[in-house]
Amino acid sequence: MWDASDEALLAGFATGDPDAAGAFVRRFQHRVIGLASLITHDAADAEEVAQDAFVRAWRYAASYDPRRGSVPSWLLGIVRNVAIDRVRVSGRRKETAFDDVTTDRWLEHLPDTAETIADRDAAAPVLTALRALPAEQREALVAVTLYGLTARELSEATHVPLGTAKTRIRLGLRRLRDHLGVRTA
Amino acid sequence: MSTMSCAEFGNVASELALGVLYGEERAAALTHVETCRACRQELTLLTDAADEVRLIVPGVEPPAGFEQRVVARIAAAATERDVTPPTPLASRRPRRLVRPLIAAAAALLAFVAASAFVLGGGSGEETASITAPMRTNAGEVVGDATLSADPTAIRVEVPDWAGLVNTYGATVDATYWLAVEDGEGQRNLRRLPPADEHPWTVELDAAPSSVAAVSIVDNGGTVWCTARFT
C-alpha cells in the first residue's frame, strides 16, 4: 500500500477501510496541516481544519475526477476552502493573510522546510517563478491563491484601486503560467 | 445573464482559475468557456499554475494521534451514512438519538404526509408537510427539504453545506439560488438566504401541490443538490 499511486490510495480511502484511510492520511497529513496552519495561524484551528478536510475528502472521494487535477491538488483545494471559511467566520482573514504576504516570510523559508528531496525538487521551479515576479504581483498571487482573498479584498488590504488589484492578479498568474509552461515544454 | 467576449474573459480568467470570481461575472465566464475551446484551454493552464503554488506550501509535523483521530471520525461518519434512510423522511432532526427507530417512524409519517398532498389535491388538507432528501447528482443524500403549507414554504437543511461546496472549489458566501420546479418542468429561482441563516426557509407564492422539486443552484447554473416531492 505504501507504493500505491495517489489515485489508488484515494480509491481505497473512499471505501472507508481503516487501513486505507490511515495510509491516505499518513501520505498527505504533513501537507494538509501545513496549508491549514499557514492559513489559520493557529495550531488548534489547523488540526480541526485538517480533520474536516480529510473527512470531506473521504465523503466526496467517489466524485474525484483526475481530469480536474491531481489528488494532492484536489485535496489541498479542499483544505484551502475549509480553512478560508473557518478564518472568515472568525473575522480575521485579511489581517492574518496580509501579515505573511507582505513579509514573504513563508516564501523565504520554503526550500529549507520542504519535507523531502522530491518535494524540494518539485517546489524549486515554482519558487523560482514566483521570485521572478514583481513583488506586488507575487504578493497578490499568494494572497489570492493561498488565502482566498478576492480582488476587492486585496485592493482594500493593499490600498490600491480595484482595477490595479485585478491587474496584479491577472499578470501575476499569467507570468507564472508562462514560466511553468516553459519548464514543461 | 450577460454574454462575455474572449477579451472580457481574459480579464477575469485568472480570478476564475484562482476560485475568487463571484456573482454575475463568474456566471458569464463559465458560460463563455462552455462554448469557447481556446478560453477553456487557457483556463486549464491558469488553473494548473495556481495549483502548483498551493503544492509548494511546506509540510508541518502533525500532532500526536492525528491520524487515529481522523480515522475515527471517518469511521463514525461512515456509520452515520450507512444508517441514513434513502427514503423521504418527515423529520430528520432527532437523528443523533435513537436513529433507527425514528427513521422508521419518520418514513411512515412521510408517506402519510405525501398522501395528504397527492390524494388531498389541495382540498383543505395542505396543512401537513412533506420532507424529501436532498441528493447530489451522484445520488448522495446531503440533507433534506421540507415543503409546508399555509403559507407555502420550503425549508432546506444541508448539514455539511460548507463541506459540499468547498470540495468543488466554491465557498459558502457565493450567491446560491433555490430553483423551484413545477410538474411541467418550469423553474422559478428564489435567492437562497446567506449561509449563516442555515437551515434556510424560502416562502413561495404557489400552492404546495404545484411544487415538484427544489434544487440549489449557483450563478453558473451548477445544480448542487435536488429534492423531489413527486
Side-chain angles (χ1 to χ4, degrees):
Chain A
M1 189 174 289
W2 291 105
D3 296 329
S5 69
D6 290 347
E7 288 76 14
L9 213 50
L10 180 64
F13 183 50
T15 67
D17 173 77
D19 290 339
F24 185 86
V25 172
R26 279 194 298 280
R27 179 169 295 185
F28 295 110
Q29 60 186 356
H30 290 81
R31 282 176 162 184
V32 165
I33 293 179
L35 182 55
S37 300
L38 184 72
I39 298 176
T40 62
H41 284 233
D42 181 278
D45 277 354
E47 168 156 1
E48 286 199 31
V49 165
Q51 284 195 25
D52 285 351
F54 274 118
V55 172
R56 289 171 187 183
W58 162 76
R59 186 164 283 144
Y60 301 105
S63 312
Y64 166 72
D65 181 353
R67 292 171 299 182
R68 294 175 62 177
S70 66
V71 171
S73 168
W74 174 76
L75 178 61
L76 292 178
I78 295 174
V79 176
R80 168 186 177 268
N81 293 330
V82 171
I84 287 170
D85 275 349
R86 187 174 191 86
V87 175
R88 180 174 292 152
V89 166
S90 70
R92 55 186 168 84
R93 180 164 63 138
K94 275 185 281 191
E95 293 75 11
T96 56
F98 223 67
D99 281 349
D100 270 3
V101 173
T102 49
T103 59
D104 271 357
R105 188 173 65 204
W106 71 274
L107 197 58
E108 290 168 11
H109 294 300
L110 275 178
D112 300 327
T113 53
E115 290 166 57
T116 64
I117 292 172
D119 285 346
R120 281 199 293 272
D121 289 347
V126 187
L127 285 168
T128 301
L130 277 173
R131 287 176 174 142
L133 295 175
E136 66 275 11
Q137 290 177 19
R138 181 172 60 247
E139 290 175 359
L141 211 48
V142 170
V144 173
T145 307
L146 296 180
Y147 297 98
L149 264 68
T150 63
R152 182 170 300 283
E153 288 170 334
L154 180 67
S155 79
E156 291 169 357
T158 53
H159 310 291
V160 299
L162 177 60
T164 304
K166 282 177 170 280
T167 300
R168 288 177 179 177
I169 295 168
R170 184 174 73 248
L171 294 180
L173 188 56
R174 279 184 175 174
R175 285 185 180 171
L176 186 71
R177 173 208 60 190
D178 291 345
H179 198 105
L180 296 175
V182 169
R183 174 170 66 101
T184 55
Chain B
M1 187 184 306
S2 62
T3 57
M4 185 175 269
S5 68
C6 290
E8 290 169 330
F9 178 81
N11 287 332
V12 298
S14 291
E15 289 170 74
L16 182 63
L18 292 163
V20 293
L21 187 68
Y22 300 104
E24 288 289 320
E25 278 188 308
R26 178 181 174 85
L30 288 172
T31 301
H32 179 78
V33 292
E34 292 256 324
T35 57
C36 180
R37 185 188 180 95
C39 288
R40 197 159 57 240
Q41 288 177 335
E42 168 74 357
L43 179 63
T44 300
L45 290 172
L46 290 172
T47 304
D48 288 348
D51 285 347
E52 295 240 19
V53 176
R54 205 174 297 138
L55 291 172
I56 66 169
V57 172
V60 168
E61 189 66 28
F66 175 77
E67 176 192 328
Q68 289 72 25
R69 288 192 288 278
V70 173
V71 172
R73 276 192 60 182
I74 290 170
T79 302
E80 186 170 332
R81 184 163 75 175
D82 288 345
V83 299
T84 301
T87 50
L89 306 175
S91 171
R92 292 174 58 194
R93 267 291 180 195
R95 62 189 156 195
R96 293 185 186 281
L97 303 176
V98 283
R99 189 174 295 116
L101 182 60
I102 287 173
L108 178 62
L109 285 171
F111 175 76
V112 172
S115 300
F117 277 134
V118 175
L119 301 177
S123 58
E125 296 297 319
E126 295 185 341
T127 52
S129 64
I130 178 172
T131 299
M134 294 290 287
R135 296 179 185 275
T136 64
N137 286 338
E140 182 171 5
V141 176
V142 292
D144 55 39
T146 300
L147 173 62
S148 57
D150 197 23
T152 306
I154 296 283
R155 180 182 183 278
V156 178
E157 182 171 9
V158 182
D160 192 19
W161 173 241
L164 179 63
V165 298
N166 289 165
T167 302
Y168 293 96
T171 53
V172 294
D173 60 352
T175 300
Y176 296 95
W177 305 83
L178 188 70
V180 182
E181 184 179 321
D182 66 20
E184 297 178 352
Q186 294 279 355
R187 292 201 313 175
N188 287 307
L189 296 180
R190 296 299 179 93
R191 188 164 184 154
L192 211 58
D196 57 9
E197 293 178 22
H198 179 273
W200 306 289
T201 298
V202 178
E203 289 196 7
L204 309 176
D205 51 7
S209 55
S210 70
V211 178
V214 293
S215 303
I216 298 178
V217 301
D218 63 21
N219 271 337
T222 300
V223 177
W224 289 87
C225 47
T226 298
R228 297 203 166 275
F229 298 106
T230 57

